[in-house]
Amino acid sequence: MTLCLQGTRITSGVAIGPVHIIKQHDFEVTEYSIHKNFLQEEVSRYKKAHNNAKNHLDSVLNNIPQSTPSEITAFIHSHLLMLDDEMLSDAPVEIILKQQCNAEWALKIQRDSIVSIFDAMEDDYLRTRRDDVDHVVKTIMQNLLSGAVHHGVHHSQEQRFSGHVIVADDISPSELVLMQHQGIAAFVTQTGGPTSHTAIIARSLNIPAIAGIHNIYTLLHETETIIVDGRFGLVLTNIDDEALHHYHRLRREQQIQLKRYKEFPHLPAITDDGIEINISANIELAEEIPLMHEMGANGIGLYRTEYLFMNRSTTPSEEEQFLAYANVLMQLKDKPLTIRTLDLGSDKQVDSGKQPSHTITNPAMGLRAIRLCLNDLSLFIPQLRAILRVSALGSVKMMIPMLSNINELQQVLRLIQTTQSTLQKESIKFDPDMHIGGMIEVPAAAICAEMFAAELDFLSIGTNDLIQYTLAIDRTDDEVNYLYDPLHPAVLKLIAQTIAAGQQAGIPVTMCGEMAGDPRYTKLLLGLGLQEFSMHPNSHPPIKKIIPLCNTRKLRRQVKRLLKSNNHTEFINQIEKLLC
Ligand code: PEP
Ligand code: MG
């Protein structure tokens, strides 16, 4: 009989495919090819990690309390002996040199070969020693991964994920981009939430996905065929013929629907009372631009540049960034492009060591986005130069993420001015009037929105973070996802305040968080006075269908009453009238 597992919906697609399980720290490392000039450096990196692992075990042994049972001490001794064995001290070095690959990959290959020897043993006791191998390898691997700096480019991966449903504890945004290139059918994770960056990428790339299925490794098994029903956050296992037949038909229907959406007429989005609403697109990768045109977007309201920095071992140079941004701009055919400066950190990590190397307790509240850029000008200035240079080629705006205080904004504006002066001295062209906007995604910035509005050309509300920070819930933590509420009165008041601040200052206010692309909230947002929306292109057709049915004057009156209500029941009654 078909079994159903309930999780949290990430994307609404449906997929059918065999399971491929990835366990955290299960040596699912990425393969890089290393240029021959850097091979010795890679060898040193391996030796250093190996040495650190040894020092770690030595210090455990030295600090072990007297009362520790002798079996435990013997156990650590045996791990030290294993570390000293040439199988782990020399063989990975030979693999690095011979295959010209990164240290992690060499260690993984060596581990797999040792484990296969143990697996073939008849003796049960010896077979269990493979766990010891894994422990020791893990200690070296953790040392390698914590200080990873490689010199190389991605090796072309074999298509081992093609058509599979990936089952994992968690998947990072950069891993998902790689997996999409390898043709995964869907993914299911134990952790994560609907507005994590991985979830946003899944929606952009149209990958069916579900998060928050606990005990995933016990419930799902390698190679078994499962169904992922993103509409309801369900995973179906042990599928019978009837269910299989039903879901194959559903998938075909979804594909036809998607095709219909692409043929959706490109009419402007005008409300019943004649207000034209600007609908732009959010993109992460240049590959999404054709879809953006198919959906008739007015331009790009949010280009998340951090994806250019992922899945590589070095940061892109100014020139590389300039070419990438120019390529996006050229494909826009005169439509405007809003480039957001780097928003790295928190759940968006890169391999190039451009984030704090130590463990951070609250990464979402730490050195992230503009804070990271101001902390490391070698990261920020090349991006500012690249964006300014592209501004000479067409309609480009720059947007700063995660502003929380005015001094920070003034520092950014000064840096932009200095960069403009340098470019001028170098006779490099840029648009001196390029619009600079700020993301309002920290409650402090929303509360003081009029101060930010006074210094900027536009504001953009990032509801994903604004909700996370206002309600004190980590957007990637499935255990508190149930508290993630775009309709919380505090959130709505901050949005209303930001829109009012923009209107008073006479500058546009747009919304580029996931809330803008959710048709349930369109009426409410129009009533809050929002006239510019930016969302993933896939969300355009349903939103464009709703807009002509709305009368903004009437909705504004309704929202005014809603924001005045101090009574929870009254608030709920009013809000229900404003949802689609
Ligand atoms: C947001 O926070 O709403 C936003 C658009 O930025 P990101 O999702 O990239 O953090
Ligand atoms: Mg954000």
Side-chain angles (χ1 to χ4, degrees):
M1 203 184 62
T2 302
L3 291 177
C4 259
L5 311 174
Q6 179 71 60
T8 308
R9 52 182 287 234
I10 299 291
T11 44
S12 56
V14 165
I16 304 163
V19 165
H20 177 65
I21 292 180
I22 298 179
K23 288 196 179 153
Q24 198 114 65
H25 303 304
D26 206 9
F27 315 119
E28 281 283 347
V29 293
T30 314
E31 180 184 5
Y32 293 95
S33 49
I34 303 288
H35 189 276
K36 60 181 183 334
N37 292 352
F38 294 110
L39 281 176
Q40 280 314 325
E41 214 170 300
E42 198 61 12
V43 167
S44 310
R45 208 165 71 77
Y46 180 76
K47 287 189 172 163
K48 189 169 163 212
H50 181 268
N51 211 26
N52 285 348
K54 219 165 145 257
N55 291 342
H56 168 72
L57 285 183
D58 273 334
S59 89
V60 172
L61 209 54
N62 292 338
N63 293 308
I64 217 158
Q66 293 275 316
S67 54
T68 308
S70 60
E71 310 87 85
I72 299 217
T73 323
F75 175 76
I76 299 169
H77 270 299
S78 74
H79 281 196
L80 269 166
L81 280 175
M82 211 179 267
L83 256 176
D84 272 339
D85 192 288
E86 60 161 25
M87 283 203 297
L88 286 176
S89 62
D90 299 342
V93 170
E94 280 161 28
I95 297 173
I96 295 173
L97 295 171
K98 200 160 152 218
Q99 300 198 12
Q100 305 202 343
C101 65
N102 54 319
E104 291 87 349
W105 190 251
L107 179 60
K108 179 198 157 24
I109 291 180
Q110 181 60 7
R111 174 261 172 200
D112 290 351
S113 120
I114 304 172
V115 162
S116 69
I117 299 169
F118 277 107
D119 279 348
M121 286 176 180
E122 296 281 320
D123 186 306
D124 277 349
Y125 169 73
L126 283 178
R127 239 196 341 258
T128 60
R129 300 291 303 207
R130 56 164 290 173
D131 292 343
D132 292 330
V133 176
D134 276 348
H135 277 127
V136 175
V137 168
K138 197 180 274 183
T139 323
I140 310 174
M141 193 69 90
Q142 277 161 352
N143 273 292
L144 273 174
L145 293 172
S146 64
V149 181
H150 330 275
H151 298 274
V153 291
H154 257 125
H155 209 271
S156 69
Q157 303 262 340
E158 75 237 57
Q159 297 291 311
R160 63 193 153 132
F161 295 150
S162 178
H164 284 74
V165 178
I166 304 299
V167 169
D169 186 41
D170 193 14
I171 295 176
S172 72
S174 55
E175 283 166 340
L176 186 57
V177 172
L178 277 185
M179 288 176 185
Q180 191 256 349
H181 283 298
Q182 294 166 17
I184 63 166
F187 72 85
V188 179
T189 57
Q190 297 212 96
T191 58
T195 59
S196 71
H197 285 99
T198 302
I200 291 171
I201 292 287
R203 280 192 286 277
S204 299
L205 302 174
N206 238 331
I207 303 173
I210 293 171
I213 302 226
H214 295 252
N215 300 318
I216 207 165
Y217 300 128
T218 348
L219 297 167
L220 301 175
H221 308 289
E222 186 74 15
T223 69
E224 73 167 316
T225 296
I226 61 168
I227 292 171
V228 173
D229 185 345
R231 299 167 311 158
F232 306 111
L234 292 177
V235 171
L236 280 72
T237 69
N238 213 10
I239 314 158
D240 56 36
D241 284 349
E242 202 183 331
L244 203 60
H245 180 71
H246 170 74
Y247 274 96
H248 273 302
R249 206 188 58 226
L250 204 69
R251 252 195 75 69
R252 279 195 300 277
E253 280 169 11
Q254 279 197 340
Q255 276 153 359
I256 294 169
Q257 170 78 319
L258 196 69
K259 201 163 159 267
R260 256 193 231 130
Y261 272 171
K262 289 185 180 175
E263 287 156 6
F264 195 73
H266 293 184
L267 299 174
I270 300 178
T271 64
D272 180 45
D273 52 336
I275 308 285
E276 181 160 356
I277 306 298
N278 189 327
I279 314 255
S280 307
N282 292 355
I283 67 155
E284 288 80 32
L285 308 164
E287 286 99 301
E288 294 166 84
I289 300 174
L291 182 66
M292 174 221 128
H293 282 302
E294 278 171 44
M295 298 300 183
N298 286 352
I300 292 178
L302 167 62
Y303 172 26
R304 291 184 165 100
T305 54
E306 42 288 354
Y307 289 85
L308 203 61
F309 289 65
M310 287 179 184
N311 295 318
R312 51 186 295 155
S313 55
T314 52
T315 47
S317 64
E318 173 191 328
E319 196 56 27
E320 188 181 339
Q321 290 186 60
F322 168 72
L323 292 174
Y325 306 152
N327 169 38
V328 170
L329 184 67
M330 292 306 131
Q331 290 189 55
L332 288 192
K333 303 178 187 148
D334 294 333
K335 290 180 175 174
L337 165 64
T338 305
I339 306 180
R340 180 173 73 179
T341 60
L342 263 178
D343 183 11
L344 283 181
S346 192
D347 62 332
K348 281 181 285 191
Q349 301 290 326
V350 293
D351 297 336
S352 56
K354 286 291 182 188
Q355 19 313 273
S357 50
H358 55 281
T359 309
I360 307 163
T361 321
N362 283 312
M365 297 201 190
L367 204 54
R368 181 194 156 183
I370 193 60
R371 302 171 179 185
L372 179 71
C373 288
L374 289 175
N375 183 266
D376 182 355
L377 293 186
S378 71
L379 188 65
F380 198 31
I381 300 289
Q383 182 170 48
L384 290 184
R385 285 178 60 97
I387 298 174
L388 280 163
R389 284 172 60 195
V390 181
S391 72
L393 307 178
S395 172
V396 172
K397 300 177 203 170
M398 186 192 293
M399 184 157 81
I400 318 294
M402 216 196 160
L403 289 164
S404 61
N405 95 36
I406 288 287
N407 295 338
E408 202 174 38
L409 172 60
Q410 285 168 345
Q411 205 180 332
V412 174
L413 295 176
R414 262 199 309 276
L415 274 174
I416 296 173
Q417 268 174 8
T418 324
T419 312
Q420 285 174 329
S421 309
T422 320
L423 288 175
Q424 211 161 17
K425 279 189 207 127
E426 293 170 14
S427 307
I428 296 176
K429 285 197 186 126
F430 61 90
D431 172 9
D433 301 319
M434 176 183 70
H435 280 193
I436 298 164
M439 286 194 68
I440 302 297
E441 46 185 354
V442 174
I447 292 167
C448 303
E450 68 282 359
M451 289 189 196
F452 286 90
E455 312 238 359
L456 288 161
D457 299 310
F458 66 96
L459 302 179
S460 186
I461 308 176
T463 48
N464 309 336
D465 279 314
L466 186 62
I467 299 168
Q468 147 166 275
Y469 296 125
T470 306
L471 305 182
I473 31 158
D474 185 335
R475 60 196 265 198
T476 65
D477 185 346
D478 63 298
E479 310 231 14
V480 287
N481 268 171
Y482 70 99
L483 290 169
Y484 198 93
D485 181 12
L487 301 178
H488 192 293
V491 173
L492 299 186
K493 284 181 184 180
L494 291 177
I495 295 175
Q497 220 167 315
T498 307
I499 296 173
Q503 280 167 349
Q504 258 166 24
I507 60 167
V509 179
T510 175
M511 179 180 284
C512 61
E514 293 297 288
M515 191 176 178
D518 190 329
R520 282 173 300 173
Y521 308 133
T522 311
K523 265 165 66 179
L524 173 66
L525 294 175
L526 290 171
L528 279 160
L530 191 73
Q531 295 191 356
E532 301 205 6
F533 293 61
S534 190
M535 64 195 77
H536 187 266
N538 284 329
S539 308
H540 287 205
I543 304 274
K544 278 189 170 171
K545 259 190 197 162
I546 296 170
I547 289 174
L549 310 176
C550 298
N551 181 304
T552 58
R553 265 179 305 206
K554 189 171 147 218
L555 290 171
R556 270 176 176 265
R557 280 198 298 274
Q558 273 178 273
V559 167
K560 212 168 167 188
R561 273 200 300 276
L562 171 82
L563 294 177
K564 273 196 187 142
S565 58
N566 299 325
N567 172 296
H568 183 64
T569 319
E570 189 191 324
F571 184 85
I572 299 290
N573 286 341
Q574 303 246 18
I575 208 146
E576 270 169 9
K577 293 185 206 142
L578 281 156
L579 298 182
C580 295

